[in-house]
């Protein structure tokens, strides 16, 4: 199952969407890969542009910038549900797929967030992994290899 997620070269959430559906929970991927430019615009929100703060990560400091992270939304009918015990249920399914869940983080609890840690980053902190991901991107090296 872990292999299914990395087969496309990124964690795109399809396996988790299918697994949740099989368990009677409707989710959609509401945010996946973000460019540095998109991350910079998100970071500006609530700081130098209108709106409320939605991220603490500058460009290059989010796992979304490297295609290893995605956020899900729980849906009931066609309605997006921002808070629901279903997020916790989905987290169990995600972890069965080998994903890390943002809801288990100590500093910023991020229940919609899942990420697939590359094998080379298993012993690294988030900060170390992000630094290595930025280096790989600069060197045009693959994320997972
Ligand atoms: Zn996220």
């Amino acid at each position: 199952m872990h292999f299914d997620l990395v087969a496309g070269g990124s964690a795109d959430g399809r396996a988790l969407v299918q697994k949740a559906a099989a368990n009677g929970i409707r989710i959609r991927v509401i945010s996946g890969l973000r460019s540095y430019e998109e991350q910079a615009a998100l970071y500006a929100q609530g700081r130098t542009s209108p709106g409320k703060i939605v991220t603490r990560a500058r460009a290059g400091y989010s796992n979304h910038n490297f295609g290893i992270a995605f956020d899900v939304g729980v849906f009931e009918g066609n309605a997006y549900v921002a808070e629901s015990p279903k997020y916790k249920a989905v987290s169990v399914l995600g972890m069965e797929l080998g994903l890390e869940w943002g809801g288990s983080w100590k500093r910023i609890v991020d229940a919609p967030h899942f990420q697939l840690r590359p094998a080379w980053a298993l012993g690294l902190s988030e900060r170390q992994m992000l630094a290595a991901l930025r280096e790989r991107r600069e060197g045009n090296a693959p994320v997972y290899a």
Side-chain angles (χ1 to χ4, degrees), residues 74-144:
V74 167
F75 284 76
E76 282 169 9
N78 279 323
Y80 164 71
V81 184
E83 282 184 40
S84 163
K86 289 179 180 173
Y87 284 95
K88 179 94 193 195
V90 172
S91 78
V92 174
L93 305 175
M95 288 188 274
E96 284 172 11
L97 291 172
L99 295 166
E100 294 180 353
W101 180 48
S104 63
W105 291 344
K106 292 185 186 80
R107 279 194 333 134
I108 317 157
V109 176
D110 188 0
H113 179 99
F114 290 88
Q115 62 187 41
L116 185 59
R117 181 173 291 262
W120 55 261
L122 286 179
L124 303 184
S125 68
E126 286 290 307
R127 185 187 298 240
Q128 291 169 328
M129 177 169 73
L130 281 162
L133 284 166
R134 289 191 298 273
E135 267 175 38
R136 279 172 181 252
R137 182 187 153 109
E138 276 166 36
N140 285 316
V143 165
Y144 283 107

Side-chain angles (χ1 to χ4, degrees), residues 34 64 69-71 110 113:
R34 276 181 222 140
H64 284 276
F70 60 90
D71 302 330
D110 188 0
H113 179 99

